[in-house]
Amino acid sequence: MIKSKKLLAIISLIFVAITAVLVVLNFPFQTSSCYAVSSSAKAMCVIDKDSKRVLFCKNENEKLPMASTTKVVTAITVIENCNNLDEIITVNKNAIGVEGTSIYLRENEQISVKDLLYGLMLRSGNDSATALAYHVGGSVEGFARMMTELAKKVGANNSSFANPHGLDNPNHYTTAYDLALIAGYALNNPTFKQIVSTKTHIIPATNVSDKRYLTNKNRLLSSLDGCCGVKTGFTSKAGRCLVSACERENRTTVCVVLNCGPMFEESANL
C-alpha cells in the first residue's frame, strides 16, 4: 500500500514537471476546455494565433450569424484567388445598390481590386463584397462555395457561407471558434494584415466617381495598444459582432465576440 502511494506520488510529480516544461516552451497543445469568463456576448472565443490554443471562451462552438465579420473570409478568399490585386476591373451591375453599408459603386465603374478590398474592410461596403465575389467567383453562389472551402481548409468545420457580405441568411453562419481560426489564418497574409490595420485610406478618382475617403470602423485600432485589426459587424439578427487582434511582444491574440453590446470594451478586456 505504501509502495503504491509512493509510485502515485512519483507519477504525479513527473506529470507536473512535464506540464511545466511544456508551458515554458509554449508547446502548442490543445486543452479540452478553456477558461470561461464573464461576458455579455452570446458567444466568444480568444485564441493564440500561432498555437491556435483557446485561452477564453463562451459558447464557442454555437452556430450563429456573424454579420459583416463575414468579410474577413471574403477578403482572404479574394487575396488568395486573385493574381493581381492592382488589376482594374469593371464593377458588375449586380453589385449596385446592394442593401446595407456601401461605398456607392456605380455601374461600369472601373476600380482596382485592392481599392475594393479597402472599401470592403474599412467601410464595410456590401457593394464592394458583391463586386469582388463576381470578379473572383463568377457569381455570389460560386464565391460563397469558395469561402466555405477556405474555412474547411483551415479547420473551421462548423461554418457555412451563403454570401460575401454577411446579410442574414439561414444558410450563413459560423462559430466564435471557427471565426477566430479563420482570422488567425488570414493575419498570416501580409496584404490582409496591412489592409485591416489601416485606419484611413483614399480611393483615387475613377472613371465615374471622385475620390473616396475611407475610415476604419474598428475603434480599437486607435484605443488599444498593439491592435492590428480586424473587422466589425452588425445586423438586427446577429447583433454587434467584432473580430479583433492584438500583437504584443511578438505574440498575436485573436478575439471574436458575437452578439455583444459593448463589443469594443469587452474585446479590449479579453
Side-chain angles (χ1 to χ4, degrees):
M1 184 69 175
I2 295 175
K3 288 184 178 180
S4 296
K5 287 183 177 179
K6 285 184 178 180
L7 181 60
L8 183 61
I10 292 171
I11 292 172
S12 298
L13 286 172
I14 292 172
F15 176 78
V16 170
I18 291 173
T19 301
V21 171
L22 293 177
V23 170
V24 170
L25 294 177
N26 282 321
F27 189 80
F29 58 86
Q30 179 67 52
T31 58
S32 58
S33 62
C34 57
Y35 291 105
V37 296
S38 177
S39 172
S40 66
K42 187 168 185 179
M44 68 86 175
C45 187
V46 182
I47 68 169
D48 177 86
K49 178 179 75 71
D50 294 327
S51 70
K52 301 179 180 63
R53 183 167 32 190
V54 177
L55 306 176
F56 303 106
C57 58
K58 174 186 175 182
N59 300 329
E60 73 278 11
N61 293 314
E62 184 175 350
K63 295 177 181 178
L64 294 168
M66 62 294 204
S68 284
T69 59
T70 294
K71 290 163 183 160
V72 171
V73 191
T74 303
I76 190 60
T77 301
V78 169
I79 291 168
E80 289 193 349
N81 290 278
C82 191
N83 293 327
N84 180 14
L85 298 182
D86 293 317
E87 179 186 0
I88 303 298
I89 67 170
T90 299
V91 174
N92 188 288
K93 64 180 181 180
N94 292 305
I96 310 305
V98 179
E99 176 189 351
T101 50
S102 174
I103 66 168
Y104 304 102
L105 293 172
R106 300 180 185 180
E107 189 172 351
N108 296 321
E109 181 167 4
Q110 295 179 338
I111 187 170
S112 75
V113 173
K114 182 172 284 187
D115 281 328
L116 285 173
L117 284 167
Y118 276 103
L120 177 80
M121 300 306 285
L122 274 65
R123 179 71 184 120
S124 199
N126 291 344
D127 51 355
S128 293
T130 306
L132 288 166
Y134 273 94
H135 176 65
V136 175
S139 66
V140 166
E141 295 76 16
F143 186 77
R145 286 193 293 271
M146 295 172 68
M147 295 169 69
T148 302
E149 288 169 4
L150 182 142
K152 293 188 183 304
K153 180 179 76 172
V154 303
N157 296 315
N158 292 312
S159 299
S160 173
F161 302 96
N163 61 60
H165 38 62
L167 292 176
D168 294 330
N169 184 299
N171 296 316
H172 191 86
Y173 55 82
T174 190
T175 69
Y177 175 69
D178 275 10
L179 198 50
L181 279 183
I182 297 167
Y185 170 82
L187 284 165
N188 289 323
N189 183 287
T191 300
F192 178 91
K193 186 176 179 181
Q194 178 186 7
I195 291 171
V196 300
S197 62
T198 297
K199 295 179 181 179
T200 61
H201 178 75
I202 299 174
I203 297 178
T206 68
N207 59 320
V208 294
S209 174
D210 293 332
K211 292 180 181 179
R212 292 177 172 93
Y213 297 86
L214 309 178
T215 300
N216 201 315
K217 292 185 175 184
N218 184 3
R219 297 205 315 250
L220 293 186
L221 287 172
S222 299
S223 63
L224 180 64
D225 181 36
C227 182
C228 55
V230 289
K231 188 69 189 74
T232 61
F234 172 81
T235 67
S236 57
K237 184 177 180 180
R240 301 183 78 200
C241 302
L242 178 64
V243 179
S244 55
C246 190
E247 187 175 51
R248 294 178 186 165
E249 299 179 4
N250 297 318
R251 297 192 66 172
T252 302
T253 304
V254 179
C255 176
V256 174
V257 292
L258 300 177
N259 200 344
C260 179
M263 62 181 188
F264 292 116
E265 295 82 1
E266 288 203 14
S267 295
N269 288 337
L270 287 166

